[in-house]
């Protein structure tokens, strides 16, 4: 079995990241630590492809690259696609603010400061053919590039998927959709 080394800054960042999840649904101390460590090991292995190398886990293995267009090509690609769309100024402004908050949080995390909470939910409304599905798909890719989601999958639902015929059924159906 391979041995891994990491410096104290990695340990601090990882511990704070795990601790932030304590109050979240489904949190499991050991499971959360194991998942974070396994993810960091996978990232480190990509930098040390030779079997005889002794991988060292660095901060970017734990929290990824700084969320900038230059360091994350997938982010740049999705942002370019959004910027290429006509109009949508409020959407573009909102997405740019999200990226800036992610960058600020990245720096805060490196400095051991508390990060700002980010609400990721968005509701895309408008007439048919205005690009809601396209924008939602791009938004999912942006969230994935920023490491807010494990995959940027778009799930489309209509009102009938959320509304029921009986009292309380809408709440049950909506919860089931959200928990997917």
């Amino acid at each position: 079995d391979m041995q891994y080394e990491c410096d104290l800054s990695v340990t601090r960042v990882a511990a704070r990241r795990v601790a932030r999840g304590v109050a979240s649904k489904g949190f499991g101390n050991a499971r959360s630590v194991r998942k974070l460590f396994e993810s960091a090991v996978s990232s480190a292995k990509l930098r040390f492809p030779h079997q005889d190398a002794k991988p060292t886990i660095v901060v970017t293995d734990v929290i990824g690259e700084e969320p900038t267009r230059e360091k994350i090509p997938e982010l740049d690609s999705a942002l370019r696609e959004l910027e290429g769309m006509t109009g949508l100024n409020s959407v573009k402004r909102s997405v740019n603010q999200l990226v800036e908050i992610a960058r600020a949080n990245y720096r805060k995390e490196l400095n051991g400061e508390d990060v700002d909470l980010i609400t990721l939910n968005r509701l895309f409304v408008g007439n048919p053919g205005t690009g809601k599905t396209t924008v939602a798909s791009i938004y999912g890719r942006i969230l994935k590039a920023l490491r807010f989601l494990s995959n940027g999958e778009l799930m489309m639902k209509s009102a009938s998927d959320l509304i029921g015929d009986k009292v309380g059924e809408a709440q049950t159906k909506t919860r089931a959709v959200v928990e997917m």
Side-chain angles (χ1 to χ4, degrees), residues 83-128:
E83 291 161 356
M85 296 181 76
T86 303
L88 306 171
N89 293 332
S90 64
V91 172
K92 293 172 185 177
R93 199 169 28 256
S94 175
V95 167
N96 285 328
Q97 287 172 344
L98 175 72
V99 173
E100 285 307 311
I101 292 169
R103 287 182 67 204
N105 277 348
Y106 186 89
R107 290 188 295 272
K108 286 179 178 183
E109 196 163 14
L110 290 178
N111 293 327
E113 301 170 22
D114 290 338
V115 297
D116 296 326
L117 296 177
I118 301 173
T119 301
L120 302 177
N121 298 333
R122 299 291 185 269
L123 180 62
F124 299 99
V125 295
N127 293 326

Side-chain angles (χ1 to χ4, degrees), residues 10-63:
V10 173
T11 307
R12 286 185 184 136
V13 168
R16 287 180 64 87
R17 181 162 274 210
V18 169
R20 277 200 312 269
V22 168
S24 64
K25 181 179 178 184
F27 176 79
N29 223 358
R31 180 178 60 248
S32 297
V33 171
R34 187 184 72 246
K35 282 176 61 178
L36 185 69
F37 178 73
E38 287 172 352
S39 174
V41 166
S42 295
S43 180
K45 281 182 178 179
L46 295 174
R47 291 182 300 104
F48 292 91
H50 302 295
Q51 290 286 350
D52 54 347
K54 187 172 185 177
T56 301
I57 296 173
V58 296
V59 171
T60 55
D61 294 325
V62 177
I63 63 173

Side-chain angles (χ1 to χ4, degrees), residues 132-148:
K132 296 180 300 293
T133 303
T134 302
V135 171
S137 176
I138 293 168
Y139 182 67
R141 290 177 27 224
I142 290 168
L143 293 181
K144 180 180 179 191
L146 293 172
R147 295 175 65 132
F148 291 136

Side-chain angles (χ1 to χ4, degrees), residues 76-89:
D76 183 52
S77 172
L79 289 172
R80 282 180 192 270
E81 191 173 338
L82 180 63
E83 291 161 356
M85 296 181 76
T86 303
L88 306 171
N89 293 332

